[in-house]
Amino acid sequence: MKSQGLLAAASLTVLVASLSAADAQQKTFYVAGYGGSFEKTMRDEVIPDFEKKHGVKVEYIAGNSTDTLAKLQAQKGNQQIDIAIVDDGPMYQAIQLGFCGKIQNLPAADLHDAARFKDDKAVAIGLVATGIMYNTKVFAEKGWAAPTSWNDLKDPKFLKQVVIPPINNTYGLYTLLMYAKMNGGGEKSIESGFKVMKDEVNKNVLAYEPSPAKMTELFQSGQAVIAVWGSGRVQAFANTGFPVDFVYPKEGAVTLLASACPIEKSDASPIASDFIKAMLEPKMQLILLKDYGYGPVNKTVQVPAALGGMAPVGEKAAKLYNPDWTAINPQREDWTKRWNREVER
């Protein structure tokens, strides 16, 4: 009986140890970032290796940048998220609101200056151009010339065939900004942008669509033929075999920095910086270029000619328009309310 008791005790000890090890291995690490094809790349190319290396379970929370920023604001004082991946505009807000911690041992010498944020509170993981996507097959069948200008979105032949993300999405905000800039305004004078959107563009818009999946569905169904989108999104869509191409408008495509930051909190994960740095390694930068059309921010990356089609690389990157987020962010809430009241009714 004594030996049976010892055996039972030993078995219980082993069981408890096994459960403790399992619990330790199942520590959850939360990453909030873009959905759609970007989420797939993260799940296929980044997360499995990270889980294996660090013995954690990564939960990926998909949403657009303003959704992620709203989650950070809602969880203030009790943050669940460990890493946030958002557009540069919302990232500036996240830093200003104190949500981002310092990235440890960032390989600064390997990065383009434009990729770095003040005090290394965030870093760009990829460079995106905001411009125009169009269905090359439909354009060829109808004998239409490829678009070259933001003004092409006003062309009457595109009645109810244009898709633009809403203003709470960076692509929608940039559309408004470019029409202001082209008509004597800009970040500090947005009135002309609203006028063009209301009077000339809005009638052609089929939908103000934030979802990447629904954007592609509208093209696949033939309802939409031209849209405002990012070079990365268009590259990922084209990689599926669908006949789309990306245009850098003659008035300028707009810079968007896909950016990541470790979230500042009392129990901040010591491996958060490692997750971000893994996305800056040349191998991953090339994967983001191939799968997602991101221009590399790591200047040691050698870009194969075959991968540089849509991505802002070299001269195309140099010609991008870089918006002034310090002027935009204080007005963004007011612009959003006005857009919802006057444009997207």
Side-chain angles (χ1 to χ4, degrees):
M1 293 293 290
K2 184 177 180 182
S3 62
Q4 287 180 333
L6 290 171
L7 182 62
S11 298
L12 182 60
T13 300
V14 170
L15 177 61
V16 169
S18 298
L19 288 172
S20 298
D23 286 343
Q25 284 197 339
Q26 286 302 305
K27 180 174 172 57
T28 305
F29 185 84
Y30 294 92
V31 178
Y34 310 120
S37 51
F38 183 88
E39 178 182 358
K40 184 177 187 305
T41 296
M42 294 293 290
R43 291 188 182 281
D44 292 349
E45 306 287 356
V46 180
I47 290 173
D49 287 347
F50 189 79
E51 288 180 326
K52 184 177 179 181
K53 180 177 179 180
H54 293 284
V56 296
K57 171 67 176 173
V58 175
E59 289 288 344
Y60 191 85
I61 307 159
N64 67 33
S65 298
T66 49
D67 291 338
T68 297
L69 184 61
K71 288 185 179 77
L72 292 173
Q73 290 173 308
Q75 295 174 5
K76 187 174 183 179
N78 185 31
Q79 295 291 354
Q80 303 300 308
I81 294 168
D82 293 294
I83 296 288
I85 301 172
V86 298
D87 298 343
D88 42 2
M91 184 60 80
Y92 283 116
Q93 290 179 293
I95 293 170
Q96 185 178 17
L97 292 167
F99 295 141
C100 294
K102 183 181 176 68
I103 302 170
Q104 299 300 317
N105 301 314
L106 190 69
D110 293 341
L111 302 178
H112 290 295
D113 290 343
R116 299 185 65 190
F117 287 71
K118 186 179 179 182
D119 299 326
D120 292 335
K121 290 292 183 75
V123 67
I125 58 171
L127 178 62
V128 179
T130 304
I132 296 172
M133 171 173 73
Y134 72 104
N135 185 320
T136 57
K137 184 172 182 288
V138 169
F139 271 63
E141 289 172 350
K142 293 185 176 292
W144 293 341
T148 60
S149 167
W150 289 96
N151 285 327
D152 286 326
L153 299 178
K154 303 187 293 189
D155 193 315
K157 69 173 174 279
F158 298 133
L159 183 67
K160 297 302 178 187
Q161 296 180 87
V162 174
V163 183
I164 301 174
I167 196 172
N168 65 353
N169 182 297
T170 302
Y171 299 129
L173 185 145
Y174 280 172
T175 306
L176 174 68
L177 177 60
M178 283 309 298
Y179 283 125
K181 185 172 179 286
M182 290 160 55
N183 291 277
E187 291 91 337
K188 297 179 180 178
S189 179
I190 204 69
E191 186 63 38
S192 56
F194 273 106
K195 180 171 175 53
V196 172
M197 285 300 305
K198 287 188 296 182
D199 297 346
E200 301 181 73
V201 177
N202 195 40
K203 57 192 171 189
N204 279 354
V205 176
L206 169 69
Y208 290 99
E209 182 51 65
S211 164
K214 290 181 181 176
M215 173 74 86
T216 58
E217 285 173 13
L218 290 170
F219 270 72
Q220 289 164 336
S221 68
Q223 293 172 270
V225 299
I226 187 169
V228 175
W229 226 14
S231 53
R233 293 287 187 192
V234 182
Q235 181 68 70
F237 192 16
N239 288 348
T240 68
F242 195 81
V244 288
D245 201 359
F246 181 80
V247 171
Y248 286 74
K250 62 185 180 183
E251 300 88 0
V254 193
T255 302
L256 186 154
L257 294 175
S259 309
C261 87
I263 299 306
E264 181 72 45
K265 52 183 178 177
S266 59
D267 60 343
S269 174
I271 60 175
S273 293
D274 293 335
F275 188 93
I276 294 172
K277 288 185 289 186
M279 301 190 71
L280 299 173
E281 293 174 0
K283 177 185 174 183
M284 189 60 211
Q285 289 277 289
L286 281 174
I287 288 171
L288 289 172
L289 172 62
K290 177 176 70 71
D291 288 0
Y292 209 61
Y294 275 2
V297 298
N298 186 327
K299 59 189 178 187
T300 71
V301 173
Q302 297 295 313
V303 178
L307 292 184
M310 296 184 194
V313 175
E315 187 179 345
K316 286 186 287 192
K319 289 183 176 179
L320 292 176
Y321 173 61
N322 299 308
D324 181 0
W325 281 103
T326 60
I328 293 171
N329 277 331
Q331 305 176 84
R332 188 164 185 177
E333 185 177 351
D334 290 338
W335 290 359
T336 299
K337 290 177 181 176
R338 185 175 174 186
W339 174 286
N340 293 335
R341 186 173 65 246
E342 298 180 15
V343 179
E344 197 177 336
R345 292 178 296 175

